[in-house]
mmCIF file of all heavy atoms in Angstrom:
data_model
loop_
_atom_site.group_PDB
_atom_site.id
_atom_site.type_symbol
_atom_site.label_atom_id
_atom_site.label_comp_id
_atom_site.label_asym_id
_atom_site.label_seq_id
_atom_site.Cartn_x
_atom_site.Cartn_y
_atom_site.Cartn_z
ATOM 1 N N ILE A 1027 -82.780 -76.873 -30.301
ATOM 2 C CA ILE A 1027 -81.909 -77.287 -31.384
ATOM 3 C C ILE A 1027 -80.879 -78.259 -30.851
ATOM 4 O O ILE A 1027 -80.565 -78.254 -29.663
ATOM 5 C CB ILE A 1027 -81.210 -76.089 -32.070
ATOM 6 C CG1 ILE A 1027 -80.378 -75.296 -31.059
ATOM 7 C CG2 ILE A 1027 -82.207 -75.203 -32.760
ATOM 8 C CD1 ILE A 1027 -79.578 -74.171 -31.672
ATOM 9 N N ALA A 1028 -80.349 -79.075 -31.739
ATOM 10 C CA ALA A 1028 -79.324 -80.039 -31.334
ATOM 11 C C ALA A 1028 -77.971 -79.354 -31.346
ATOM 12 O O ALA A 1028 -77.624 -78.661 -32.286
ATOM 13 C CB ALA A 1028 -79.324 -81.232 -32.267
ATOM 14 N N LYS A 1029 -77.220 -79.541 -30.298
ATOM 15 C CA LYS A 1029 -75.885 -78.963 -30.206
ATOM 16 C C LYS A 1029 -74.947 -79.752 -31.098
ATOM 17 O O LYS A 1029 -74.869 -80.963 -30.989
ATOM 18 C CB LYS A 1029 -75.420 -79.008 -28.751
ATOM 19 C CG LYS A 1029 -74.133 -78.254 -28.514
ATOM 20 C CD LYS A 1029 -73.818 -78.218 -27.040
ATOM 21 C CE LYS A 1029 -72.569 -77.427 -26.804
ATOM 22 N NZ LYS A 1029 -72.214 -77.365 -25.396
ATOM 23 N N PRO A 1030 -74.244 -79.071 -32.030
ATOM 24 C CA PRO A 1030 -73.356 -79.815 -32.916
ATOM 25 C C PRO A 1030 -72.178 -80.393 -32.157
ATOM 26 O O PRO A 1030 -71.703 -79.815 -31.189
ATOM 27 C CB PRO A 1030 -72.894 -78.755 -33.918
ATOM 28 C CG PRO A 1030 -73.059 -77.461 -33.211
ATOM 29 C CD PRO A 1030 -74.213 -77.640 -32.266
ATOM 30 N N GLY A 1031 -71.737 -81.523 -32.598
ATOM 31 C CA GLY A 1031 -70.603 -82.162 -31.954
ATOM 32 C C GLY A 1031 -70.403 -83.555 -32.499
ATOM 33 O O GLY A 1031 -71.215 -84.056 -33.272
ATOM 34 N N PRO A 1032 -69.354 -84.196 -32.093
ATOM 35 C CA PRO A 1032 -69.085 -85.534 -32.603
ATOM 36 C C PRO A 1032 -70.039 -86.559 -32.003
ATOM 37 O O PRO A 1032 -70.590 -86.354 -30.931
ATOM 38 C CB PRO A 1032 -67.651 -85.797 -32.147
ATOM 39 C CG PRO A 1032 -67.490 -84.966 -30.928
ATOM 40 C CD PRO A 1032 -68.324 -83.731 -31.162
ATOM 41 N N VAL A 1033 -70.215 -87.651 -32.735
ATOM 42 C CA VAL A 1033 -71.020 -88.750 -32.227
ATOM 43 C C VAL A 1033 -70.175 -89.493 -31.201
ATOM 44 O O VAL A 1033 -69.065 -89.925 -31.486
ATOM 45 C CB VAL A 1033 -71.444 -89.696 -33.366
ATOM 46 C CG1 VAL A 1033 -72.175 -90.902 -32.814
ATOM 47 C CG2 VAL A 1033 -72.296 -88.964 -34.367
ATOM 48 N N VAL A 1034 -70.714 -89.603 -30.006
ATOM 49 C CA VAL A 1034 -69.991 -90.255 -28.925
ATOM 50 C C VAL A 1034 -70.592 -91.635 -28.723
ATOM 51 O O VAL A 1034 -71.803 -91.783 -28.654
ATOM 52 C CB VAL A 1034 -70.086 -89.437 -27.623
ATOM 53 C CG1 VAL A 1034 -69.370 -90.133 -26.498
ATOM 54 C CG2 VAL A 1034 -69.536 -88.044 -27.837
ATOM 55 N N SER A 1035 -69.753 -92.640 -28.653
ATOM 56 C CA SER A 1035 -70.271 -93.980 -28.417
ATOM 57 C C SER A 1035 -69.901 -94.419 -27.012
ATOM 58 O O SER A 1035 -68.871 -94.023 -26.463
ATOM 59 C CB SER A 1035 -69.731 -94.959 -29.454
ATOM 60 O OG SER A 1035 -68.339 -95.025 -29.372
ATOM 61 N N GLN A 1036 -70.775 -95.226 -26.444
ATOM 62 C CA GLN A 1036 -70.581 -95.749 -25.104
ATOM 63 C C GLN A 1036 -71.269 -97.103 -25.036
ATOM 64 O O GLN A 1036 -71.983 -97.487 -25.941
ATOM 65 C CB GLN A 1036 -71.157 -94.796 -24.074
ATOM 66 C CG GLN A 1036 -72.669 -94.627 -24.199
ATOM 67 C CD GLN A 1036 -73.210 -93.578 -23.255
ATOM 68 O OE1 GLN A 1036 -72.474 -92.749 -22.777
ATOM 69 N NE2 GLN A 1036 -74.488 -93.615 -23.000
ATOM 70 N N MET A 1037 -71.051 -97.817 -23.974
ATOM 71 C CA MET A 1037 -71.714 -99.105 -23.816
ATOM 72 C C MET A 1037 -73.155 -98.871 -23.363
ATOM 73 O O MET A 1037 -73.416 -98.021 -22.513
ATOM 74 C CB MET A 1037 -70.975 -99.982 -22.817
ATOM 75 C CG MET A 1037 -69.618 -100.457 -23.309
ATOM 76 S SD MET A 1037 -69.669 -101.310 -24.895
ATOM 77 C CE MET A 1037 -70.414 -102.850 -24.419
ATOM 78 N N GLY A 1038 -74.046 -99.619 -23.967
ATOM 79 C CA GLY A 1038 -75.461 -99.497 -23.639
ATOM 80 C C GLY A 1038 -76.182 -100.756 -24.098
ATOM 81 O O GLY A 1038 -75.578 -101.828 -24.218
ATOM 82 N N TYR A 1039 -77.466 -100.600 -24.389
ATOM 83 C CA TYR A 1039 -78.296 -101.755 -24.731
ATOM 84 C C TYR A 1039 -79.103 -101.476 -25.988
ATOM 85 O O TYR A 1039 -79.515 -100.342 -26.237
ATOM 86 C CB TYR A 1039 -79.246 -102.085 -23.572
ATOM 87 C CG TYR A 1039 -78.513 -102.469 -22.323
ATOM 88 C CD1 TYR A 1039 -78.161 -101.516 -21.375
ATOM 89 C CD2 TYR A 1039 -78.132 -103.786 -22.096
ATOM 90 C CE1 TYR A 1039 -77.466 -101.859 -20.230
ATOM 91 C CE2 TYR A 1039 -77.438 -104.143 -20.959
ATOM 92 C CZ TYR A 1039 -77.120 -103.177 -20.032
ATOM 93 O OH TYR A 1039 -76.423 -103.529 -18.909
ATOM 94 N N ARG A 1040 -79.337 -102.546 -26.758
ATOM 95 C CA ARG A 1040 -80.216 -102.507 -27.917
ATOM 96 C C ARG A 1040 -81.135 -103.723 -27.858
ATOM 97 O O ARG A 1040 -80.778 -104.751 -27.311
ATOM 98 C CB ARG A 1040 -79.415 -102.544 -29.220
ATOM 99 C CG ARG A 1040 -78.685 -101.248 -29.484
ATOM 100 C CD ARG A 1040 -78.231 -101.151 -30.917
ATOM 101 N NE ARG A 1040 -77.619 -99.849 -31.103
ATOM 102 C CZ ARG A 1040 -76.460 -99.644 -31.683
ATOM 103 N NH1 ARG A 1040 -75.769 -100.647 -32.154
ATOM 104 N NH2 ARG A 1040 -75.982 -98.431 -31.813
ATOM 105 N N VAL A 1041 -82.305 -103.573 -28.452
ATOM 106 C CA VAL A 1041 -83.275 -104.662 -28.503
ATOM 107 C C VAL A 1041 -83.204 -105.289 -29.889
ATOM 108 O O VAL A 1041 -83.313 -104.590 -30.897
ATOM 109 C CB VAL A 1041 -84.704 -104.143 -28.222
ATOM 110 C CG1 VAL A 1041 -85.712 -105.276 -28.342
ATOM 111 C CG2 VAL A 1041 -84.784 -103.491 -26.865
ATOM 112 N N GLN A 1042 -82.984 -106.596 -29.916
ATOM 113 C CA GLN A 1042 -82.983 -107.312 -31.194
ATOM 114 C C GLN A 1042 -84.404 -107.676 -31.541
ATOM 115 O O GLN A 1042 -85.076 -108.402 -30.811
ATOM 116 C CB GLN A 1042 -82.122 -108.561 -31.111
ATOM 117 C CG GLN A 1042 -82.056 -109.321 -32.417
ATOM 118 C CD GLN A 1042 -81.056 -110.444 -32.352
ATOM 119 O OE1 GLN A 1042 -79.877 -110.205 -32.186
ATOM 120 N NE2 GLN A 1042 -81.549 -111.661 -32.483
ATOM 121 N N VAL A 1043 -84.855 -107.163 -32.678
ATOM 122 C CA VAL A 1043 -86.235 -107.346 -33.103
ATOM 123 C C VAL A 1043 -86.385 -108.557 -34.015
ATOM 124 O O VAL A 1043 -87.382 -109.269 -33.965
ATOM 125 C CB VAL A 1043 -86.723 -106.068 -33.818
ATOM 126 C CG1 VAL A 1043 -88.098 -106.250 -34.393
ATOM 127 C CG2 VAL A 1043 -86.700 -104.895 -32.864
ATOM 128 N N PHE A 1044 -85.376 -108.792 -34.846
ATOM 129 C CA PHE A 1044 -85.493 -109.862 -35.841
ATOM 130 C C PHE A 1044 -84.105 -110.367 -36.211
ATOM 131 O O PHE A 1044 -83.131 -109.623 -36.179
ATOM 132 C CB PHE A 1044 -86.197 -109.325 -37.096
ATOM 133 C CG PHE A 1044 -86.374 -110.348 -38.173
ATOM 134 C CD1 PHE A 1044 -87.400 -111.261 -38.122
ATOM 135 C CD2 PHE A 1044 -85.497 -110.402 -39.242
ATOM 136 C CE1 PHE A 1044 -87.553 -112.221 -39.113
ATOM 137 C CE2 PHE A 1044 -85.641 -111.346 -40.240
ATOM 138 C CZ PHE A 1044 -86.674 -112.256 -40.169
ATOM 139 N N TYR A 1045 -84.023 -111.647 -36.575
ATOM 140 C CA TYR A 1045 -82.808 -112.184 -37.171
ATOM 141 C C TYR A 1045 -83.207 -113.286 -38.137
ATOM 142 O O TYR A 1045 -84.219 -113.962 -37.968
ATOM 143 C CB TYR A 1045 -81.818 -112.704 -36.123
ATOM 144 C CG TYR A 1045 -82.230 -113.983 -35.444
ATOM 145 C CD1 TYR A 1045 -81.783 -115.207 -35.900
ATOM 146 C CD2 TYR A 1045 -83.077 -113.956 -34.335
ATOM 147 C CE1 TYR A 1045 -82.157 -116.374 -35.271
ATOM 148 C CE2 TYR A 1045 -83.453 -115.114 -33.706
ATOM 149 C CZ TYR A 1045 -82.997 -116.321 -34.177
ATOM 150 O OH TYR A 1045 -83.368 -117.477 -33.570
ATOM 151 N N GLY A 1046 -82.432 -113.407 -39.194
ATOM 152 C CA GLY A 1046 -82.708 -114.430 -40.196
ATOM 153 C C GLY A 1046 -81.687 -114.360 -41.312
ATOM 154 O O GLY A 1046 -80.900 -113.422 -41.409
ATOM 155 N N SER A 1047 -81.723 -115.341 -42.184
ATOM 156 C CA SER A 1047 -80.740 -115.401 -43.261
ATOM 157 C C SER A 1047 -81.219 -114.728 -44.543
ATOM 158 O O SER A 1047 -80.428 -114.529 -45.453
ATOM 159 C CB SER A 1047 -80.374 -116.853 -43.550
ATOM 160 O OG SER A 1047 -81.532 -117.564 -43.934
#
Side-chain angles (χ1 to χ4, degrees):
I1027 59 175
K1029 188 174 182 180
V1033 175
V1034 178
S1035 61
Q1036 64 185 19
M1037 291 305 287
Y1039 298 91
R1040 288 196 176 132
V1041 177
Q1042 182 172 297
V1043 175
F1044 180 81
Y1045 72 95
S1047 60

